[in-house]
Amino acid sequence: MNRKFYSNLIFDLSRKGRKGYRLPDTGCGASLEGIPANLLRESAPELPEVDEPSVVRHFTNLSTNNFGVDTGFYPLGSCTMKYNPKINEEMAALPNMSALHPLTPAAAAQGALEAYFTLQELLCEIGGMSEFTLNPFAGAHGELTGLMVIRAYHRSRGDMKRDTVIVPDSAHGTNPASAAVAGLKVVEVKSLPDGTVDVEALKPLLNDRVAAMMMTNPNTLGIFETRIPEIAAMVHEAGGLMYYDGANINPLVGVTRPGDMGFDVMHINLHKTFSTPHGGGGPGSGPVGVRKGLEQFLPSPRVVKLDDGTFALDSPETSLGQVSNLLGNFAVELRALAYILSLGKEGLREVGPMATLAANYIKESLRDLYRLPVDRVCKHEFVFDGLADKSTGVTTLNVAKRLLDFGFHAPTIYFPLLFHESLMIEPTETENLDTLNDFIKVMRQIADEAANNPDLVKNAPHDTPVRHPDDTAAALTPRVTVADLKSNDL
Ligand SMILES: *Cc1c(COP(=O)(O)O)cnc(C)c1O
């Protein structure tokens, strides 16, 4: 597969005097009279002069350089890059939603508030929580918000010394980072060889300094943590709360609920499980749910339903305050609502089992050629520790680059940090059997190439427009100005 790469700069297309618009002559002329000299520029800005078709073609061609879930298979572990149904886009683009001013009075925005409230309620049901806020902008932002709720709870009881969060060694990097930003200390608990939290190692870590324990289930290895009720009982006994990192709740939706396992606070990544486009840093949404008794600490404003059936904004005094621009990323929330409602209860119940089936199918079809360090039934994702045959010198990075030649996005590599050659694959439920089989075939071919023609894999990719960017040089001497780019040595 040889994707054509479009590398023109719009400045290359510029020709003096070319325009994409025509304005009527107002008869007033253009006068700079009255503008102080120090505010006037000395020379005209260097803007491209282009006609409209050139502009349209330029940006359309640029957009085709991107790899996305709409152009190919994207098995990026821990990211749930599932297909995003186009109906969600239509709902988010409805003018009565997208054109709403954020400060529209509640009385004039009842439809939007009802949509927001409905999603809050649906997430409560999905998570087994009492209340949800949709205000946080991302998973990590949700973690921070949730930890702030936990701190507010401890403080409200006058328990000021709880300054520690326990995080498993398999956790997503955002967990310790969020704890640190929330002003809490991080203590790591080890995993057992089977990938689950070591309950014996947890015991000595529990004391009256523990504010919370953060857990991901299925964990970052895609393994279901079976001892959560027991862990929750121990953490609660020590006075701490249980935080659920629900970025990866995809395989559990409609099957089981964090609230039922003993978690007190959780977040969900709408941009992963609830199928709204993400990547490249945004946009996202990380709603936070809490069990009964913690609602009063959630960020403001809250959307509440009044006795007369109307919706209003509420900012209770016990709230930890505002964490975002009022109600968060509303368009992402609308997409998630459209996704949940269009799948319905029955459809949602199929998501997790199908994602689990697809992941296990790939794992079992490749385990003879790739090293499987944790050999268990996985949930929505699993981790290989590189190729089984280490004698060829072909690394996980090489395999990932070689996949690009076949039109697949690379899986997540070198994460989690538990293995040297981590290769983390998450197919999601939205791929058909043909795509899964194509991927398996290519992964088997790459293993074969590694054994018989290792240089072919080590020098990959061969068919991409940009072959071997120098990562170090790009970080040390980035080219960020037009003058840099004009040298056209992409
Ligand atoms: C993606 C992810 C996060 C972080 O979510 P962002 O929206 O990227 O901030 C946290 N935890 C886990 C397990 C994740 O997969």
Side-chain angles (χ1 to χ4, degrees), residues 78 138-141 143 172 174-175 216 220 245 247-248 267 269 271-272:
S78 197
H141 195 198
E143 291 168 24
H172 196 272
T174 50
N175 290 188
T216 308
T220 301
D245 175 344
N248 290 342
H267 82 268
N269 279 22
H271 47 292
K272 291 180 182 171

Coordinates of all heavy atoms in Angstrom, one line a residue, residues 78 138-141 143 172 174-175 216 220 245 247-248 267 269 271-272, ligand 1:
S78 N -5.4 0.6 25.1 CA -5.7 1.6 26.1 C -6.3 2.8 25.5 O -6.5 3.8 26.3 CB -4.4 1.9 26.9 OG -4.8 2.6 28.1
A138 N -11.4 15.6 30.2 CA -10.6 14.5 29.7 C -10.6 13.5 30.9 O -11.0 13.7 32.0 CB -9.2 14.9 29.3
G139 N -10.0 12.3 30.5 CA -9.9 11.3 31.6 C -9.0 11.8 32.7 O -9.4 11.7 33.9
A140 N -7.8 12.3 32.4 CA -6.9 12.8 33.4 C -7.6 13.9 34.2 O -7.4 14.0 35.5 CB -5.6 13.3 32.8
H141 N -8.4 14.8 33.6 CA -9.1 15.8 34.3 C -10.1 15.3 35.2 O -10.4 15.8 36.3 CB -9.7 16.8 33.2 CG -10.1 18.1 33.7 ND1 -11.0 18.9 33.0 CD2 -9.9 18.7 34.9 CE1 -11.3 20.0 33.7 NE2 -10.6 19.9 34.9
E143 N -9.9 12.3 36.6 CA -9.1 11.8 37.8 C -8.8 12.9 38.8 O -9.1 12.7 40.0 CB -7.8 11.2 37.3 CG -7.9 9.9 36.5 CD -6.6 9.5 35.8 OE1 -5.6 9.9 36.3 OE2 -6.7 8.8 34.8
H172 N -2.2 3.4 34.4 CA -2.0 4.4 33.4 C -1.2 5.6 34.0 O -1.4 5.9 35.2 CB -3.3 4.9 32.8 CG -3.2 5.6 31.6 ND1 -3.0 7.0 31.5 CD2 -3.4 5.2 30.3 CE1 -3.0 7.3 30.2 NE2 -3.2 6.3 29.5
T174 N -1.4 8.6 33.9 CA -2.2 9.7 34.4 C -2.6 9.6 35.8 O -2.8 10.5 36.5 CB -3.5 9.9 33.6 OG1 -4.2 8.7 33.5 CG2 -3.2 10.5 32.2
N175 N -2.6 8.3 36.3 CA -3.1 8.1 37.7 C -2.1 8.8 38.7 O -2.5 9.6 39.5 CB -3.3 6.6 38.1 CG -4.5 6.0 37.4 OD1 -4.8 4.8 37.6 ND2 -5.1 6.7 36.4
T216 N -7.8 0.3 37.9 CA -8.4 0.2 36.6 C -8.8 -1.2 36.4 O -8.1 -2.1 36.8 CB -7.3 0.5 35.5 OG1 -6.7 1.8 35.9 CG2 -7.9 0.6 34.1
T220 N -4.5 -2.4 33.0 CA -3.9 -2.0 31.8 C -3.3 -3.2 31.0 O -3.0 -3.0 29.8 CB -2.8 -1.0 32.2 OG1 -3.4 0.1 32.8 CG2 -2.1 -0.4 31.0
D245 N -10.7 4.1 37.7 CA -10.3 4.7 36.5 C -11.1 4.0 35.4 O -10.7 2.9 35.0 CB -8.8 4.5 36.3 CG -8.3 5.0 34.9 OD1 -9.2 5.2 34.0 OD2 -7.1 5.3 34.7
A247 N -11.5 4.8 32.2 CA -11.2 5.1 30.8 C -11.4 3.8 30.0 O -11.8 3.9 28.8 CB -9.8 5.6 30.7
N248 N -11.2 2.7 30.6 CA -11.3 1.4 29.8 C -12.5 0.6 30.2 O -12.4 -0.6 30.3 CB -10.0 0.6 30.1 CG -8.8 1.2 29.5 OD1 -8.9 2.0 28.6 ND2 -7.6 0.8 29.9
H267 N -14.3 7.8 37.0 CA -14.5 8.6 35.8 C -14.7 7.7 34.6 O -14.3 6.5 34.6 CB -13.4 9.6 35.5 CG -12.2 9.0 34.9 ND1 -11.1 8.5 35.6 CD2 -11.9 8.9 33.6 CE1 -10.2 8.1 34.8 NE2 -10.7 8.3 33.5
N269 N -14.2 7.8 30.2 CA -13.8 8.5 29.1 C -14.8 8.4 28.0 O -14.9 7.4 27.3 CB -12.4 8.0 28.5 CG -11.3 8.5 29.3 OD1 -11.4 8.9 30.5 ND2 -10.1 8.5 28.7
H271 N -14.8 9.9 25.3 CA -14.1 9.8 24.0 C -13.5 8.5 23.7 O -13.0 8.2 22.6 CB -13.1 10.9 23.9 CG -12.2 11.0 25.1 ND1 -12.6 11.4 26.3 CD2 -10.9 10.8 25.2 CE1 -11.6 11.4 27.2 NE2 -10.6 11.0 26.5
K272 N -13.6 7.5 24.6 CA -13.1 6.2 24.3 C -14.4 5.3 24.2 O -14.9 5.0 23.1 CB -12.2 5.7 25.3 CG -10.8 6.4 25.3 CD -9.8 5.9 26.3 CE -8.5 6.7 26.3 NZ -7.7 6.3 27.4
Ligands
LIG1 C1 -6.7 7.1 28.2 C2 -6.6 6.7 29.7 C3 -6.5 7.7 30.6 C4 -6.4 9.2 30.3 O1 -7.5 9.7 29.6 P1 -7.2 11.1 28.8 O2 -8.6 11.5 28.3 O3 -6.2 10.9 27.8 O4 -6.7 12.1 29.8 C5 -6.5 7.3 32.0 N1 -6.5 6.0 32.3 C6 -6.6 5.0 31.4 C7 -6.6 3.6 31.8 C8 -6.6 5.3 30.0 O5 -6.6 4.4 29.1

